Amino acid sequence: MHTSWLTADQYASLSTQVQGAFIAPLPAFESLLVGGIDNRKYLQGQITCDVDQLTDSNFLHGAHCDAKGKMWSQFYLATYGDQLITVAFRDELTASTAQWKKFGVFSKVSFDAGQSQFACFGLGGDNVASLIQQLGFDVPKRGGLSRSNGALLLALTDDHFLLLMPLDDARTLMQQPLPFAAPTVWLVQHIKHGFSYLEQGLIGEFVPQMLNLQALDAISFSKGCYIGQETVARLKYRGGNKRAAFILQADSAELPAAGTDIDIQLGENWRRSGQVVNAANIHNQLWIIAVLPNDITPADSLRLSSDSAPALHITPLPYSLN
C-alpha cells in the first residue's frame, strides 16, 4: 500500500465484519486530471463513451482500447472545474495514462496524476443513503453525481458508490467514528453488481463486450471515431464475440489471482474454459467475475484451476446481455 492519506495502522484496523452501510478506503484506485482546452475533443477520439454527454451532474463509464479494440482500461469520467477527472484501478489507469500522454503531444491537453490530490472510497450496504447524507451529500441516482466541498460521489448503482475526496479531507474523514470497512467488502459488492476492472496481467486482453460494457452503458455506438471503434462496432453489428463476463461463487478459502484459469467439465475430462478477472473472498465465501464462453449455463460444471479445485457456481447477472 502506497498512500499518503491512509496509515498502515488504519488499514490494518479495517474489518470485513460490517453490518449495514459502510465506507471502505480504496487505496488501489486512483485518479487522473485531464486539462487543457482540447481535453474533451482529445478524449472523445480515444474512448468508448460519448464525452459530449458529460455534464456536471453525471459521470460516464467508459473504456480505452488499443487499435485492435483490446482494452487498456475501463474507468469513470467526470468534470472537475474546467478539467476532466478519470477514476480507475491503479494498473489500468497507469497503462492508459502512458498511451494518452504519448499521443496527447499533438493536442492542447495536459495530464496530472490525482493521487497527490485525491483519495478514493467505496460506499455501499443497507441504508447507505443515510450514510451519504451524514457525509454531506445529496443521494444521486444511478449514473448521477453529487458534489460537496470539492468531493465527488458517483452512483455506480442505486446502492453502490465511488467517492473521490481531497486528501486533507480524506485524512480528517479517517479520524471520524464512521462504519469503515476493508476494501474487500466493497469489492465483493462490485463483483455482485457485475462490474470489473483490469489488473496488470489482463491489460490488452479483452474487447469491451467481453466484460459486458455494452450492458453497462459504457460504449456509445453513435459517437464519432475513436481508437478501436472498428472492432467494437463490428462485434455489435456483425456478431462474432463469443465471450462474456459472469459472476461465480464458491465455498473456498482461496483467492485466485487475475488470469487464473477456470475449467469446464466435458464428459470425464476438464478443459480450460475461461479466466478470472477479479476475485474477492470474505469468510471463505469466494466471489469471482470471470470471462467465459457466452453460451455457458448454470448447468455446466465449472471449477477453479488450482490445487484444491473448488466447484464454481454461476449466479445471475443483475443486467441483461441482450
Side-chain angles (χ1 to χ4, degrees):
M1 182 186 68
H2 303 284
T3 172
S4 63
W5 58 273
L6 181 66
T7 69
D9 287 343
Q10 287 172 336
Y11 190 81
S13 70
L14 298 172
S15 174
T16 56
Q17 301 276 5
V18 293
Q19 301 292 329
F22 65 83
I23 179 169
L26 301 177
F29 283 75
E30 295 180 350
S31 58
L32 178 74
L33 286 160
V34 186
I37 60 174
D38 290 341
N39 58 356
R40 284 179 175 256
K41 178 181 178 182
Y42 178 72
L43 283 187
Q44 184 76 321
Q46 293 282 319
I47 60 181
T48 61
C49 51
D50 186 356
V51 181
D52 289 343
Q53 301 303 312
L54 187 63
T55 71
D56 288 341
S57 61
N58 73 343
F59 68 93
L60 301 177
H61 185 181
H64 175 215
C65 303
D66 64 18
K68 296 181 180 179
K70 299 294 183 69
M71 288 192 295
W72 293 105
S73 68
Q74 59 171 307
F75 54 83
Y76 304 97
L77 178 70
T79 63
Y80 198 80
D82 59 358
Q83 300 180 91
L84 302 176
I85 190 164
T86 62
V87 186
F89 185 71
R90 180 191 301 122
D91 295 352
E92 56 187 343
L93 188 59
T94 298
S96 275
T97 299
Q99 297 299 314
W100 287 332
K101 285 184 175 180
K102 181 187 301 184
F103 297 104
V105 296
F106 304 107
S107 300
K108 294 178 180 179
V109 62
S110 64
F111 303 92
D112 295 297
Q115 59 262 38
S116 62
Q117 302 180 55
F118 297 98
C120 194
F121 296 83
L123 286 81
D126 295 338
N127 202 26
V128 67
S130 292
L131 176 59
I132 288 170
Q133 292 168 339
Q134 181 183 346
L135 294 174
F137 293 90
D138 294 331
V139 182
K141 295 296 185 181
R142 179 174 187 149
L145 181 150
S146 180
R147 301 173 190 266
S148 178
N149 297 321
L152 288 71
L153 182 71
L154 285 61
L156 307 190
T157 73
D158 289 338
D159 62 356
H160 186 56
F161 299 83
L162 267 175
L163 171 63
L164 199 64
M165 178 173 282
L167 283 188
D168 287 343
D169 294 336
R171 295 187 188 101
T172 300
L173 186 74
M174 290 303 303
Q175 304 295 326
Q176 304 303 311
L178 294 168
F180 289 109
T184 304
V185 177
W186 186 86
L187 294 176
V188 165
Q189 188 183 76
H190 204 58
I191 291 170
K192 288 182 177 181
H193 281 294
F195 292 113
S196 60
Y197 53 88
L198 294 176
E199 300 182 51
Q200 184 60 50
L202 297 181
I203 292 170
E205 293 294 314
F206 303 124
V207 296
Q209 287 95 327
M210 291 181 183
L211 291 179
N212 307 347
L213 293 196
Q214 79 285 359
L216 293 168
D217 298 323
I219 306 172
S220 170
F221 293 101
S222 59
K223 64 175 282 186
C225 295
Y226 59 88
I227 296 175
Q229 181 197 25
E230 183 178 350
T231 297
V232 175
R234 184 170 62 245
L235 291 179
K236 174 179 173 62
Y237 296 111
R238 298 185 184 178
N241 179 43
K242 304 297 184 183
R243 306 185 77 74
F246 292 86
I247 302 168
L248 307 176
Q249 192 274 328
D251 297 326
S252 171
E254 292 208 35
L255 182 59
T260 299
D261 288 345
I262 293 171
D263 300 330
I264 187 170
Q265 188 170 21
L266 299 174
E268 296 182 357
N269 300 310
W270 291 86
R271 180 179 299 173
R272 181 183 183 276
S273 179
Q275 59 190 143
V276 173
V277 179
N278 307 127
N281 196 317
I282 295 181
H283 312 308
N284 297 329
Q285 292 293 306
L286 172 61
W287 290 90
I288 292 172
I289 189 158
V291 170
L292 295 164
N294 57 15
D295 59 356
I296 207 86
T297 74
D300 290 310
S301 295
L302 301 172
R303 73 179 186 187
L304 191 66
S305 184
S306 66
D307 290 341
S308 62
L312 299 170
H313 308 285
I314 295 176
T315 68
L317 289 165
Y319 47 75
S320 173
L321 294 180
N322 299 321

